[in-house]
Amino acid sequence: MSIDEASQRRLFSLGELEKGFEGIEYNFEEWVHTAMACLSDLWSEIRKDAFKKIKKYMETGSIPEGAQMALKAALSGTLSPPSAEQTEKRWQHMHGALLGMAALAPTARVTTSSTISAVAADMAALQAQLIEFLGHPSPVVREAAVLCAHTYGVA
């Protein structure tokens, strides 16, 4: 099997959007939308490649803080329990969201007491979610939860 053309376009566009961070009028919403599409793709190759790209961008400091925060908010929404309208969430979405959270972790900068409080609250919420995902029926979701836990030091 090969990756379908739409998935290839999403992965390519994720790499291309990184170039836009240098622009003054960059649209973070568009980048987050593309990142989320890649992280929730049906193909695990696309999800894993998106994780690697986002992690690399984070390590090089090329993702602006606004884009990081917007992506983190979108990922947190994916990791939250399904609403009444959603009967279930696809395991691919959970897997990608956990990979995305792990990719965002390496550059967490704690500089003020308010930031420390925010990070502590985020960590407590993430830890509770990770415990739930460690029991998920899908092995790749469990593996991503372990990766995320180790990355954030909550394991």
Side-chain angles (χ1 to χ4, degrees):
M1 270 194 228
S2 65
I3 296 173
D4 64 41
E5 190 176 319
S7 294
Q8 284 286 11
R9 278 195 310 268
R10 282 194 294 273
L11 188 59
F12 175 77
S13 63
L14 180 64
E16 287 298 299
L17 286 173
E18 190 261 342
K19 295 176 186 174
F21 292 135
E22 297 169 7
I24 295 171
E25 297 180 40
Y26 188 75
N27 182 349
F28 294 153
E29 190 175 307
E30 180 183 338
W31 186 85
V32 169
H33 177 75
T34 301
M36 290 298 293
C38 291
L39 287 168
S40 61
D41 197 272
L42 290 175
W43 290 91
S44 63
E45 248 181 273
I46 299 292
R47 293 191 304 274
K48 290 174 186 175
D49 282 348
F51 160 75
K52 290 175 190 172
K53 285 181 181 289
I54 294 167
K55 183 175 167 71
K56 182 188 98 184
Y57 300 155
M58 289 295 292
E59 289 170 349
T60 61
S62 60
I63 300 179
E65 188 175 340
Q68 293 174 37
M69 295 188 64
L71 180 56
K72 185 177 180 185
L75 292 167
S76 294
T78 299
L79 291 174
S80 63
S83 65
E85 298 84 41
Q86 301 169 311
T87 55
E88 64 179 78
K89 292 185 180 184
R90 288 194 352 236
W91 66 266
Q92 291 94 338
H93 291 162
M94 315 275 188
H95 179 236
L98 288 165
L99 290 176
M101 291 298 277
L104 289 175
T107 59
R109 292 181 180 88
V110 179
T111 55
T112 66
S113 60
S114 62
T115 305
I116 291 169
S117 298
V119 168
D122 285 350
M123 294 299 285
L126 181 60
Q127 187 171 11
Q129 288 176 320
L130 289 176
I131 290 169
E132 184 178 320
F133 287 116
L134 290 172
H136 196 277
S138 170
V140 294
V141 172
R142 290 192 305 268
E143 289 170 11
V146 169
L147 171 69
C148 196
H150 285 298
T151 303
Y152 280 91
V154 296

